[in-house]
């Protein structure tokens, strides 16, 4: 059995992160990951903690505008940086085009992958408003859906980008 | 899964990182994107007492130096390499290889230096300690290599999986290394020791600062192929990278570097395959001869693939990759 004793050598430090436009000062140890801090210290539980190995993409957030895995990001490295999470997409009751498209296309089953999918799709559409089918697939390759609802998700990205959804199903 | 505690220091430059490594002692490691190191820390394959974070350093843009080489900062993110107009135009194989790595998120986080120094992998080693079905293996200071119990105590068959290193070795890239006492240059090929227990020849307090890729001469062509189970977000079954050059008549191969990755403890030059090609007229017969010679590289069985499957895979894809490389060399020869 592995030795589970953990020496407490990592000094705590106060960092400030801007999450969805709001500044947060939090005390973290070096070992705290961004997903832990978002969920447990800031109370934003939209971001999901999945495989913790960088495989499933459920914890995807936007760090300085780029999609990143919050399970493989140390919070201490985000001091002074801007983070966007799924909670930052909708403006009150008003959802974004990609969120509406997920609703219209039924691009959700169990829902666990959805926040990460929405963040990857948001990053894609902000950079490339009319992505081709291969570009959509490449941008979403790091987000796994265990319910394998990929067709509806790709259709939603097509809808949000103002393109026909039909070819996806072929 | 909670990470163990460690000390964290932020480096403001790579030279400072080397100094910090030296002052923090033998259990300190640098962390760039963290996409290889943090999963290994979670499974406790790596247990550094201190991390020197490189995340606060801004990478220089890829640029052409006075000798017409492309110089790429080790901290350049893989997505930036895949998207760089300069690299896509001058070294398209490198852009293709960067795009083949993992997923969009990992390409946005992972760096070139981290990719080249990623730890070797093995199905037994790369799981949480408590899930290992017997006991620690050699690489965790245990007393056996459980998947290959016939291995001698100093032999570990973990596999080096970078998608980028084979392409850069085929392109004759060099690395510049910064240590406490200054800089040195090394052909990338020599970064790899071939020893699964200690795969890199870097000194303890050294870090890679940049990768230097020489300009490709006229009538050169490349071919690259990564085989993987799913096509996306997957470590490779095999990687084949070829850079070759044709004579003035565009008929005969005058130079070839064939590098095979993800099948052994380090990227391997397929020298017999290179010999079967160089000096010969290019075409089906030459591709067949080169493909037949890939037996020489003796792949390790890994990640669920048998040795014979990997040999077959290499034989088939090397043929195709060579044909592509020749087509490209001919096309570049026509333009020139
Ligand atoms: C799910 C998943 C899939 C992956 N798939 C692939 C794949 O298909 N192909 C592939 O090639 N890789 C893959 N990787 C591995 C890894 O993410 C990438 O190789 C990435 O480029 C590593 O870069 P990094 O900056 O994140 O490295 P880090 O994790 O920061 O560092 C990795 C190692 O390199 C050392 N290091 C970092 N920078 C330097 C430097 N400048 N000088 C010296 N040493 C340094 C670190 O100390 C550490 O030991 C995958 C990883 C995950 C989690
Ligand atoms: S191949 Fe290496 S890493 Fe894998 S079990 Fe054997 S000694 Fe350990």
């Amino acid at each position: 059995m592995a030795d589970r004793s953990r020496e407490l050598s990592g000094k705590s430090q106060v960092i400030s992160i801007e999450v969805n436009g709001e500044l947060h000062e939090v005390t973290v140890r070096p070992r705290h990951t961004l997903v832990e801090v978002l969920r447990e210290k800031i109370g934003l539980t939209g971001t999901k903690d999945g495989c913790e190995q960088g495989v499933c993409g459920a914890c995807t957030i936007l760090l300085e505008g780029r999609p990143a895995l919050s399970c493989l990001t140390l919070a201490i490295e985000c001091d002074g940086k801007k983070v966007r999470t799924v909670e930052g997409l909708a403006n009150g009751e008003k959802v974004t085009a990609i969120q509406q498209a997920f609703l219209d296309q039924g691009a959700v089953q169990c829902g666990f992958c959805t926040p990460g999918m929405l963040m990857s799709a948001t990053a894609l559409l902000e950079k490339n408003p009319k992505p081709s089918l291969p570009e959509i697939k490449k941008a979403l390759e790091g987000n796994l859906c265990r319910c394998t609802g990929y067709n509806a998700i790709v259709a939603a990205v097509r809808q949000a980008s103002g393109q026909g959804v039909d070819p996806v199903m072929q | 899964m909670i990470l163990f505690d460690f000390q964290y220091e932020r480096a403001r430059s790579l030279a400072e990182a080397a100094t910090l490594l030296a002052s923090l002692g033998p259990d300190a490691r640098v962390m760039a994107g963290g996409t290889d190191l943090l999963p290994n820390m979670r499974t406790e394959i790596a247990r550094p007492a201190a991390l020197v974070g490189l995340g606060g350093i801004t990478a220089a843009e890829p640029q052409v130096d006075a000798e017409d080489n492309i110089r790429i900062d080790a901290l350049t993110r893989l997505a930036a390499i895949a998207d760089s107009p300069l690299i896509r135009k001058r070294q398209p194989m490198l852009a293709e290889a960067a795009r083949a790595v993992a997923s969009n998120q990992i390409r946005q986080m992972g760096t070139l230096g981290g990719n080249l120094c990623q730890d070797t992998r093995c199905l037994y080693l790369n799981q949480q300690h408590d899930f290992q079905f017997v006991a620690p293996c050699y690489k965790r200071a245990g007393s056996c290599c459980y998947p290959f119990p016939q291995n001698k105590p100093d032999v570990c068959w973990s596999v080096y999986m970078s998608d980028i290193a084979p392409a850069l070795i085929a392109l004759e890239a060099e690395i510049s290394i910064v240590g406490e006492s200054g800089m040195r240059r090394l052909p990338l090929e020599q970064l790899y020791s071939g020893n699964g227990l200690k795969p890199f020849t870097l000194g303890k307090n050294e870090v890679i600062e940049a990768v230097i890729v020489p300009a490709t001469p006229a009538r050169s062509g490349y071919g690259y192929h990564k085989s993987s189970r799913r096509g996306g977000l997957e470590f490779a079954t095999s990687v084949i990278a070829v850079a070759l050059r044709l004579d003035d008549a565009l008929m005969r191969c005058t130079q070839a570097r064939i590098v095979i990755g993800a099948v052994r403890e380090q990227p391997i030059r397929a020298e017999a395959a290179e010999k079967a090609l160089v000096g010969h007229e290019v075409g089906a017969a030459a591709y067949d001869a080169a493909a037949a010679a890939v037996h020489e590289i003796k792949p390790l069985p890994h990640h669920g693939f048998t040795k014979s499957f990997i040999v077959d895979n290499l034989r088939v894809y090397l043929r195709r990759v060579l044909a592509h490389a020749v087509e490209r060399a001919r096309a570049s020869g026509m333009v020139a």
Side-chain angles (χ1 to χ4, degrees):
Chain A
M1 202 46 158
D3 174 13
R4 298 256 139 237
S5 66
R6 294 166 195 280
E7 327 79 63
L8 298 180
S9 62
K11 271 196 307 250
S12 295
Q13 196 179 310
V14 179
I15 59 162
S16 64
I17 332 182
E18 189 186 313
V19 186
N20 303 327
E22 208 177 296
L23 208 60
H24 293 266
E25 302 235 313
V26 278
T27 307
V28 300
R29 281 187 186 286
R31 70 166 151 88
H32 289 139
T33 56
L34 181 59
V35 65
E36 286 173 300
V37 169
L38 287 171
R39 291 178 58 88
E40 291 163 28
K41 295 197 183 249
I42 299 181
L44 294 172
T45 53
T47 304
K48 299 293 177 256
D49 198 357
C51 70
E52 299 192 327
Q53 287 285 317
V55 178
C56 77
C59 69
T60 304
I61 48 86
L62 303 188
L63 183 59
E64 299 286 301
R66 290 179 294 126
L69 299 163
S70 56
C71 77
L72 297 186
T73 303
L74 295 181
I76 206 163
E77 293 234 294
C78 301
D79 191 15
K81 295 198 176 158
K82 289 192 177 71
V83 175
R84 267 166 84 197
T85 70
V86 71
E87 289 91 344
L89 293 183
N91 183 0
E93 290 291 297
K94 196 172 168 308
V95 293
T96 61
I98 184 69
Q99 288 176 306
Q100 187 60 49
F102 266 62
L103 292 167
D104 293 346
Q105 297 298 328
V108 285
Q109 290 185 52
C110 83
F112 195 82
C113 74
T114 311
M117 288 282 183
L118 284 170
M119 297 320 285
S120 283
T122 299
L124 169 68
L125 294 171
E126 286 180 355
K127 199 170 148 211
N128 181 357
K130 286 256 179 303
S132 66
L133 204 49
E135 283 168 344
I136 296 172
K137 291 183 177 172
K138 195 75 184 156
L140 296 181
E141 74 187 340
N143 294 84
L144 303 189
C145 167
R146 283 294 177 95
C147 314
T148 67
Y150 295 109
N151 270 348
I153 292 168
V154 173
V157 179
R158 302 256 315 175
Q159 177 188 321
S161 63
Q163 305 183 78
V165 297
D166 290 348
V168 179
M169 304 306 171
Q170 285 167 10
Chain B
M1 220 187 303
I2 294 170
L3 273 173
F4 50 85
D5 269 304
F6 50 84
Q7 185 180 345
Y8 174 88
E9 302 292 340
R10 185 178 305 222
R12 279 162 304 178
S13 69
L14 284 168
E16 189 188 44
T19 317
L20 278 168
L21 282 177
S23 69
L24 290 166
D27 291 334
R29 292 272 282 274
V30 290
M31 188 182 81
T35 61
D36 183 58
L37 190 51
L38 282 177
N40 283 343
M41 284 169 64
R42 281 204 200 273
T43 47
E44 299 189 28
I45 293 167
R47 269 204 73 123
L51 287 186
V52 175
L54 308 179
I57 310 171
T58 312
E61 290 284 316
Q63 48 189 274
V64 180
D65 71 11
E67 283 102 61
D68 212 26
N69 306 312
I70 297 185
R71 186 186 171 88
I72 309 163
D73 195 313
L75 291 171
T76 311
R77 294 177 195 274
L78 305 185
I81 293 175
D83 294 342
S84 156
L86 175 69
I87 295 173
R88 283 165 73 140
K89 177 155 178 282
R90 303 266 305 245
Q91 294 299 354
M93 172 152 63
L94 175 56
E96 191 175 327
R99 196 171 144 84
V101 175
S103 64
N104 186 31
Q105 293 98 319
I106 289 174
R107 290 190 295 277
Q108 299 280 356
M109 300 169 74
T111 66
L112 180 57
N115 186 279
L116 299 179
C117 296
Q118 66 180 274
D119 206 350
T120 52
R121 301 176 65 83
C122 139
L123 272 188
Y124 185 78
L125 179 79
N126 287 92
Q127 49 186 332
Q128 183 73 15
H129 212 171
D130 307 1
F131 283 85
Q132 292 191 347
F133 46 86
V134 188
C137 69
Y138 294 144
K139 204 154 174 176
R140 271 178 161 154
S143 54
C144 186
C145 167
Y146 294 96
F148 307 108
Q150 75 282 18
N151 279 357
K152 296 194 192 81
D154 54 348
V155 176
C156 155
W157 280 359
S158 54
V159 178
Y160 177 71
M161 310 294 286
S162 164
D163 296 334
I164 298 181
L168 283 173
I169 292 173
L171 294 170
E172 299 183 62
E174 294 199 332
I175 49 177
S176 88
I177 297 170
V178 49
E180 293 161 88
S181 48
M183 313 276 305
R184 65 183 176 113
R185 280 268 282 256
L186 189 74
L188 176 60
E189 212 168 343
Q190 292 174 22
L191 173 65
Y192 304 103
S193 67
N195 172 357
L197 293 177
K198 189 186 175 301
F200 308 104
T201 60
L202 274 187
K204 180 65 205 66
N205 304 326
E206 287 186 323
V207 290
I208 300 181
E209 187 223 17
V211 175
I212 297 110
V213 195
T216 341
R219 303 182 306 280
S220 300
Y222 79 91
Y224 180 86
H225 182 78
K226 170 184 180 177
S227 297
S228 66
R229 274 204 180 92
R230 292 185 297 209
L233 183 63
E234 189 72 277
F235 281 101
T237 307
S238 72
V239 175
I240 302 174
V242 170
L244 53 71
R245 209 175 152 190
L246 300 182
D247 63 2
D248 292 343
L250 303 176
M251 293 303 289
R252 224 169 253 281
C253 176
T254 58
Q255 247 179 337
R257 284 169 73 90
I258 302 176
V259 187
I260 310 292
V263 302
R264 298 232 359 207
E265 306 91 325
Q266 64 177 14
I268 299 285
R269 286 279 293 281
E271 284 172 16
E274 290 173 359
K275 283 208 186 80
L277 201 67
V278 175
H280 296 272
E281 202 159 297
V282 291
Y287 309 151
D288 283 341
V294 296
H295 272 285
E296 66 174 327
I297 61 153
K298 298 191 175 48
L300 294 170
H302 72 87
H303 295 87
F305 303 103
T306 61
K307 195 171 159 163
S308 64
F309 176 86
I310 295 171
V311 170
D312 281 349
N313 167 292
L314 292 175
R315 202 168 33 73
V316 171
Y317 283 106
L318 179 58
R319 218 183 161 287
R320 294 185 196 175
V321 161
L322 287 172
H324 266 132
V326 167
E327 268 170 41
R328 288 181 174 122
R330 286 201 164 129
S332 87
M334 315 273 203
V335 175

